[in-house]
Amino acid sequence: MDQLQTLQHWVDESQRIVFFGGAGVSTESGIPDFRSVDGLYNQKYDYPPETILSHTFFMKKPDEFYRFYRDKMLCLDAEPNTAHKQLARLEEVGKLTAVVTQNIDGLHQAAGSKRVYELHGSVLRNYCMQCGKPYAVEDIVNGSGIPKCACGGMIKPDVVLYEEGLDDGVISGAVQAIREADMLIIAGTSLVVYPAAGLVNYYRGNRLVIINRSITPMDQDADLVISGSVGEVLGSLRI
Protein backbone atom coordinates (compact mmCIF):
# COMPACT_ATOMS: atom_id res chain seq x y z
CA MET A 1 0.00 0.00 0.00
CA ASP A 2 1.51 3.34 -1.01
CA GLN A 3 1.52 6.47 1.15
CA LEU A 4 -1.62 8.07 -0.30
CA GLN A 5 -3.52 4.78 -0.01
CA THR A 6 -2.44 4.49 3.62
CA LEU A 7 -3.56 8.06 4.27
CA GLN A 8 -6.95 7.36 2.66
CA HIS A 9 -7.35 4.15 4.67
CA TRP A 10 -6.58 5.90 7.97
CA VAL A 11 -8.94 8.79 7.18
CA ASP A 12 -11.69 6.31 6.35
CA GLU A 13 -11.21 4.55 9.70
CA SER A 14 -10.76 7.62 11.90
CA GLN A 15 -13.50 9.64 13.60
CA ARG A 16 -11.57 12.29 15.54
CA ILE A 17 -9.00 13.72 13.14
CA VAL A 18 -7.17 16.89 14.15
CA PHE A 19 -5.22 18.95 11.63
CA PHE A 20 -2.22 21.00 12.79
CA GLY A 21 -1.01 23.38 10.10
CA GLY A 22 1.55 26.08 9.44
CA ALA A 23 2.56 28.53 6.74
CA GLY A 24 2.89 25.83 4.07
CA VAL A 25 -0.90 25.52 4.05
CA SER A 26 -1.32 29.19 3.09
CA THR A 27 1.60 29.55 0.67
CA GLU A 28 -0.53 27.65 -1.87
CA SER A 29 -2.99 30.57 -1.64
CA GLY A 30 -0.19 32.99 -2.47
CA ILE A 31 0.58 34.09 1.09
CA PRO A 32 4.37 34.30 1.65
CA ASP A 33 6.07 32.01 4.13
CA PHE A 34 8.33 33.53 6.76
CA ARG A 35 11.27 31.17 6.55
CA SER A 36 11.40 29.91 2.98
CA VAL A 37 14.06 31.11 0.55
CA ASP A 38 11.76 33.85 -0.79
CA GLY A 39 9.99 34.31 2.54
CA LEU A 40 9.79 37.49 4.59
CA TYR A 41 12.92 36.70 6.59
CA ASN A 42 15.04 36.85 3.46
CA GLN A 43 13.79 40.22 2.24
CA LYS A 44 15.64 43.40 3.14
CA TYR A 45 14.16 46.15 5.31
CA ASP A 46 15.57 48.74 7.70
CA TYR A 47 14.92 46.17 10.44
CA PRO A 48 14.60 42.39 10.26
CA PRO A 49 10.94 41.22 10.11
CA GLU A 50 11.39 39.33 13.37
CA THR A 51 12.33 42.62 15.07
CA ILE A 52 9.47 44.55 13.48
CA LEU A 53 6.95 41.89 14.51
CA SER A 54 7.90 42.08 18.19
CA HIS A 55 5.90 43.64 21.03
CA THR A 56 8.79 45.95 21.91
CA PHE A 57 9.08 47.31 18.37
CA PHE A 58 5.29 47.72 18.09
CA MET A 59 5.23 49.84 21.23
CA LYS A 60 8.35 51.89 20.39
CA LYS A 61 7.93 52.40 16.64
CA PRO A 62 4.28 51.79 15.79
CA ASP A 63 4.52 53.89 12.63
CA GLU A 64 7.33 51.65 11.28
CA PHE A 65 5.42 48.57 12.41
CA TYR A 66 2.28 49.56 10.54
CA ARG A 67 4.18 50.49 7.38
CA PHE A 68 5.59 46.94 7.24
CA TYR A 69 2.36 45.32 8.48
CA ARG A 70 0.15 46.90 5.81
CA ASP A 71 2.70 46.15 3.11
CA LYS A 72 3.58 42.56 3.93
CA MET A 73 1.20 40.97 6.44
CA LEU A 74 -2.22 41.73 4.96
CA CYS A 75 -2.96 39.43 2.02
CA LEU A 76 -6.69 40.03 1.88
CA ASP A 77 -7.10 38.94 -1.75
CA ALA A 78 -5.99 35.39 -0.92
CA GLU A 79 -8.60 32.65 -1.36
CA PRO A 80 -8.87 29.26 0.38
CA ASN A 81 -7.04 26.55 -1.53
CA THR A 82 -7.69 22.83 -1.91
CA ALA A 83 -6.24 22.02 1.52
CA HIS A 84 -8.54 24.49 3.30
CA LYS A 85 -11.57 23.20 1.39
CA GLN A 86 -10.82 19.53 1.99
CA LEU A 87 -10.42 20.13 5.73
CA ALA A 88 -13.76 21.95 5.85
CA ARG A 89 -15.31 19.00 4.03
CA LEU A 90 -13.78 16.52 6.51
CA GLU A 91 -15.34 18.50 9.36
CA GLU A 92 -18.68 18.66 7.56
CA VAL A 93 -18.86 14.86 7.22
CA GLY A 94 -17.96 14.37 10.88
CA LYS A 95 -14.40 13.13 10.46
CA LEU A 96 -12.38 16.15 11.57
CA THR A 97 -12.90 17.59 15.07
CA ALA A 98 -10.56 20.60 14.94
CA VAL A 99 -8.07 22.63 12.96
CA VAL A 100 -5.13 23.99 14.95
CA THR A 101 -3.32 26.62 12.91
CA GLN A 102 -0.27 28.83 13.24
CA ASN A 103 -1.59 31.01 10.41
CA ILE A 104 -3.25 34.38 10.92
CA ASP A 105 -5.09 34.75 7.61
CA GLY A 106 -8.55 33.37 8.44
CA LEU A 107 -8.61 31.14 5.35
CA HIS A 108 -9.76 28.03 7.22
CA GLN A 109 -12.92 29.83 8.33
CA ALA A 110 -13.35 31.31 4.84
CA ALA A 111 -13.37 27.74 3.49
CA GLY A 112 -16.07 26.74 5.97
CA SER A 113 -14.19 25.25 8.93
CA LYS A 114 -16.05 25.89 12.19
CA ARG A 115 -13.73 24.69 14.96
CA VAL A 116 -10.45 26.50 14.38
CA TYR A 117 -7.86 27.24 17.05
CA GLU A 118 -5.77 30.17 15.85
CA LEU A 119 -2.60 29.91 17.93
CA HIS A 120 -1.17 33.20 16.69
CA GLY A 121 -4.40 35.18 16.34
CA SER A 122 -5.85 36.72 13.20
CA VAL A 123 -5.20 39.80 11.07
CA LEU A 124 -8.96 40.03 10.58
CA ARG A 125 -9.48 41.11 14.20
CA ASN A 126 -8.17 44.33 15.73
CA TYR A 127 -8.90 46.14 18.96
CA CYS A 128 -8.22 49.39 20.81
CA MET A 129 -5.55 48.87 23.46
CA GLN A 130 -7.23 51.47 25.67
CA CYS A 131 -10.98 50.75 25.58
CA GLY A 132 -11.05 47.35 23.85
CA LYS A 133 -13.34 48.40 20.99
CA PRO A 134 -13.07 45.95 18.07
CA TYR A 135 -12.10 47.08 14.59
CA ALA A 136 -12.31 45.33 11.22
CA VAL A 137 -9.24 44.72 9.11
CA GLU A 138 -10.60 47.21 6.56
CA ASP A 139 -10.12 49.96 9.15
CA ILE A 140 -6.40 49.13 9.15
CA VAL A 141 -6.07 48.70 5.38
CA ASN A 142 -7.90 51.88 4.46
CA GLY A 143 -6.12 54.03 7.01
CA SER A 144 -2.58 55.36 7.08
CA GLY A 145 -0.03 55.88 9.81
CA ILE A 146 -0.89 54.64 13.30
CA PRO A 147 -4.59 53.65 13.55
CA LYS A 148 -6.31 55.33 16.46
CA CYS A 149 -9.61 54.66 18.22
CA ALA A 150 -12.20 57.38 18.81
CA CYS A 151 -11.11 57.28 22.47
CA GLY A 152 -7.56 58.14 21.44
CA GLY A 153 -6.10 54.70 22.10
CA MET A 154 -3.86 52.89 19.61
CA ILE A 155 -5.41 50.03 17.67
CA LYS A 156 -3.52 46.71 17.68
CA PRO A 157 -4.01 43.68 15.45
CA ASP A 158 -5.22 40.62 17.36
CA VAL A 159 -2.02 38.85 16.35
CA VAL A 160 0.49 37.29 18.74
CA LEU A 161 3.73 39.22 18.28
CA TYR A 162 7.15 38.00 19.35
CA GLU A 163 7.58 38.39 23.14
CA GLU A 164 3.82 37.93 23.64
CA GLY A 165 2.19 34.82 25.12
CA LEU A 166 -0.38 32.66 23.39
CA ASP A 167 -4.02 32.86 24.48
CA ASP A 168 -4.72 30.42 27.33
CA GLY A 169 -8.19 29.53 26.06
CA VAL A 170 -6.94 28.77 22.57
CA ILE A 171 -4.09 26.67 23.94
CA SER A 172 -6.30 24.60 26.25
CA GLY A 173 -8.84 23.97 23.48
CA ALA A 174 -6.13 22.91 21.05
CA VAL A 175 -4.46 20.65 23.61
CA GLN A 176 -7.74 18.93 24.44
CA ALA A 177 -8.56 18.36 20.77
CA ILE A 178 -5.10 16.90 20.10
CA ARG A 179 -5.26 14.68 23.20
CA GLU A 180 -8.61 13.24 22.10
CA ALA A 181 -7.62 12.76 18.45
CA ASP A 182 -7.42 9.30 16.91
CA MET A 183 -5.42 10.74 14.00
CA LEU A 184 -3.20 13.83 13.86
CA ILE A 185 -2.23 15.35 10.53
CA ILE A 186 0.63 17.86 10.73
CA ALA A 187 1.18 19.81 7.52
CA GLY A 188 3.02 22.77 6.09
CA THR A 189 5.07 23.53 9.19
CA SER A 190 8.76 23.25 10.04
CA LEU A 191 7.80 22.49 13.67
CA VAL A 192 10.47 24.88 14.97
CA VAL A 193 8.23 27.68 16.32
CA TYR A 194 7.55 27.18 20.01
CA PRO A 195 5.41 26.98 22.07
CA ALA A 196 3.05 26.17 19.18
CA ALA A 197 5.08 23.20 17.85
CA GLY A 198 5.17 21.65 21.32
CA LEU A 199 1.40 21.09 21.26
CA VAL A 200 1.75 18.09 18.94
CA ASN A 201 3.43 16.22 21.81
CA TYR A 202 0.02 15.88 23.44
CA TYR A 203 -1.06 13.42 20.76
CA ARG A 204 -1.29 9.89 22.14
CA GLY A 205 -2.46 7.92 19.10
CA ASN A 206 -0.64 5.86 16.48
CA ARG A 207 -1.69 7.68 13.33
CA LEU A 208 0.65 10.66 13.28
CA VAL A 209 0.92 11.93 9.70
CA ILE A 210 3.34 14.63 8.52
CA ILE A 211 2.85 16.27 5.12
CA ASN A 212 5.61 18.75 4.32
CA ARG A 213 7.95 19.73 1.51
CA SER A 214 11.02 19.51 3.77
CA ILE A 215 12.03 17.33 6.70
CA THR A 216 10.90 18.20 10.23
CA PRO A 217 12.29 17.34 13.68
CA MET A 218 9.33 14.99 14.20
CA ASP A 219 9.66 12.90 11.04
CA GLN A 220 11.33 10.08 12.94
CA ASP A 221 8.40 9.89 15.35
CA ALA A 222 5.69 9.97 12.68
CA ASP A 223 3.75 6.91 11.54
CA LEU A 224 3.51 8.28 7.99
CA VAL A 225 5.59 11.00 6.32
CA ILE A 226 4.54 12.35 2.92
CA SER A 227 6.81 14.81 1.15
CA GLY A 228 4.90 17.19 -1.08
CA SER A 229 2.24 19.83 -1.49
CA VAL A 230 -0.39 19.93 1.27
CA GLY A 231 -3.10 20.82 -1.25
CA GLU A 232 -2.18 18.02 -3.64
CA VAL A 233 -2.00 15.39 -0.91
CA LEU A 234 -5.26 16.37 0.80
CA GLY A 235 -6.85 16.93 -2.60
CA SER A 236 -6.25 13.26 -3.42
CA LEU A 237 -8.55 12.17 -0.58
CA ARG A 238 -12.00 10.78 -1.37
CA ILE A 239 -14.33 12.32 1.22
Side-chain angles (χ1 to χ4, degrees), residues 7-52:
L7 179 65
Q8 181 73 59
H9 181 62
W10 287 359
V11 167
D12 290 342
E13 289 192 342
S14 301
Q15 299 298 325
R16 296 186 310 281
I17 302 170
V18 169
F19 179 86
F20 182 98
V25 179
S26 292
T27 51
E28 294 175 30
S29 289
I31 295 178
D33 181 9
F34 274 73
R35 290 176 173 77
S36 65
V37 175
D38 6 342
L40 291 181
Y41 282 128
N42 291 286
Q43 299 177 20
K44 302 302 179 189
Y45 298 93
D46 290 344
Y47 303 89
E50 194 161 15
T51 299
I52 298 174

Side-chain angles (χ1 to χ4, degrees), residues 6 12 32 50 52 54 72 92 100 121 127 130 182 204 233:
T6 300
D12 290 342
E50 194 161 15
I52 298 174
S54 69
K72 293 296 177 186
E92 186 184 347
V100 180
Y127 64 93
Q130 193 160 294
D182 58 5
R204 293 289 176 262
V233 173

Side-chain angles (χ1 to χ4, degrees), residues 123-168:
V123 298
L124 303 182
R125 298 187 300 270
N126 306 271
Y127 64 93
C128 171
M129 297 179 73
Q130 193 160 294
C131 73
K133 181 181 177 182
Y135 283 87
V137 67
E138 288 76 19
D139 295 314
I140 307 298
V141 174
N142 298 329
S144 61
I146 304 168
K148 292 288 183 68
C149 176
C151 78
M154 183 164 65
I155 298 171
K156 180 184 183 294
D158 191 9
V159 168
V160 179
L161 301 176
Y162 290 102
E163 305 165 348
E164 294 178 346
L166 305 189
D167 181 88
D168 288 342

